[in-house]
Amino acid sequence: FQTIGDNPVTAYRQLVQQFAKDAAGKAVDPKIAVGEATAVFKANPVGASLSGLGPRLVGVGFKRIPKFGILLGISFFISNDGEVGMVAATGASILSAPFINPIRMIEKQQRAYFKTTGVEKPIMEILKESAAKNFKPLFRGTVPLMGHSLASAMLGLVGQPKLQKFVQKELGDKTSLGQMATGLVASAVVSPIYVGVTNPLSRLEVIMQTTSIDGKRISLGSACKEMVNDSKAFGLRGIFRGNGIGIAKAIISLTMFHEGRIFLMDTFKARNHKLGLVPDS
């Protein structure tokens, strides 16, 4: 549900970042890029909103298995209270990236194709093109993803719950705000920091993953150079293209994720108590 709900925002943000340069490879003013992305959405709002959704839905389950499996595994061995810490977040981010990256690559390839043709590129066609190069293109952008995943784990998984507890204590006891409202406040505080850290990394991913699979790949160094040139031309607006959209998405996504997590935890706890699987304390 979360993935379907935020996919239009994700698609729009990535299109804004893809339009960062023109056909000649020159940096484009962020306002013009936003206009170009908006035009794509107006031309085919349904198609644009659903672009890349297939790989994301597959990735929802697939990428969480290695990421959260590693995260919980490390936490189990190094933590006594079961809390997710920085060490576990770092390990999970680095070790899970190679599993997650191919899905993100396919997603961005579909949107890059949609940008120019108005239709999604079939997944099988992307895989066939990758197979011709021993599937190496599917791992483009893995290094930026490691950084992105690390920031996501540290701020989203570790930081948001701790901040929510603080907000719950400070606001929940003094106001009528409930759990979801305090979660929304916590997400609103964390999200600008989270997006500010991850947005440049997302840009690097977009630059490295949206070039043609058949063509020459863009190295991490070349992608960084492209961002530097963008910043020289347009300052911080160049580096943080799509930042505002990302903050709005992060607030909603983080809140929905943690509310869903808490709901499932409470549901299973209640079920276990009802079935007598948990001894009375």
Side-chain angles (χ1 to χ4, degrees), residues 208-230:
M208 297 174 71
Q209 294 180 344
T210 54
T211 54
S212 172
I213 291 177
D214 293 331
K216 184 180 179 181
R217 74 179 185 89
I218 295 180
S219 66
L220 178 60
S222 298
C224 290
K225 185 177 179 180
E226 187 172 315
M227 284 189 59
V228 170
N229 292 335
D230 199 1

Side-chain angles (χ1 to χ4, degrees), residues 89-137:
T90 302
S93 301
I94 295 173
L95 297 176
S96 66
F99 297 95
I100 301 171
N101 200 78
I103 295 172
R104 294 174 71 93
M105 174 71 179
I106 292 171
E107 173 196 343
K108 290 184 179 66
Q109 282 289 307
Q110 284 194 319
R111 290 206 181 98
Y113 194 77
F114 186 92
K115 168 193 166 187
T116 56
T117 66
V119 294
E120 278 188 343
K121 192 171 189 176
I123 294 177
M124 290 307 299
E125 187 174 334
I126 296 172
L127 292 176
K128 286 179 181 178
E129 291 178 357
S130 300
K133 294 190 174 184
N134 297 319
F135 296 103
K136 290 181 180 179

Side-chain angles (χ1 to χ4, degrees), residues 6-107:
D6 69 24
N7 197 73
V9 183
T10 300
Y12 184 73
R13 182 189 183 196
Q14 285 189 15
L15 284 173
V16 168
Q17 294 177 338
Q18 286 183 38
F19 279 111
K21 57 183 180 181
D22 58 21
K26 294 183 179 180
V28 173
D29 189 289
K31 289 184 178 180
I32 296 176
V34 169
E36 295 282 359
T38 302
V40 171
F41 260 76
K42 286 183 177 179
N44 188 353
V46 176
S49 297
L50 297 178
S51 62
L53 180 60
R56 289 194 74 205
L57 287 175
V58 173
V60 165
F62 183 80
K63 73 181 181 181
R64 278 166 173 69
I65 293 173
K67 184 172 183 178
F68 289 107
I70 295 170
L71 188 74
L72 295 174
I74 296 175
S75 297
F76 176 79
F77 285 106
I78 68 173
S79 176
N80 294 324
D81 55 8
E83 291 290 327
V84 176
M86 296 299 180
V87 175
T90 302
S93 301
I94 295 173
L95 297 176
S96 66
F99 297 95
I100 301 171
N101 200 78
I103 295 172
R104 294 174 71 93
M105 174 71 179
I106 292 171
E107 173 196 343

Side-chain angles (χ1 to χ4, degrees), residues 103-178:
I103 295 172
R104 294 174 71 93
M105 174 71 179
I106 292 171
E107 173 196 343
K108 290 184 179 66
Q109 282 289 307
Q110 284 194 319
R111 290 206 181 98
Y113 194 77
F114 186 92
K115 168 193 166 187
T116 56
T117 66
V119 294
E120 278 188 343
K121 192 171 189 176
I123 294 177
M124 290 307 299
E125 187 174 334
I126 296 172
L127 292 176
K128 286 179 181 178
E129 291 178 357
S130 300
K133 294 190 174 184
N134 297 319
F135 296 103
K136 290 181 180 179
L138 293 181
F139 295 94
R140 293 175 183 174
T142 300
V143 174
L145 175 59
M146 288 180 179
H148 190 166
S149 186
L150 175 60
S152 175
M154 290 173 63
L155 295 172
L157 292 177
V158 180
Q160 199 272 2
K162 292 182 178 180
L163 183 59
Q164 183 174 1
K165 289 180 181 178
F166 174 78
V167 173
Q168 178 76 54
K169 181 180 178 181
E170 294 297 316
L171 295 181
D173 295 341
K174 301 175 183 178
T175 67
S176 59
L177 291 178

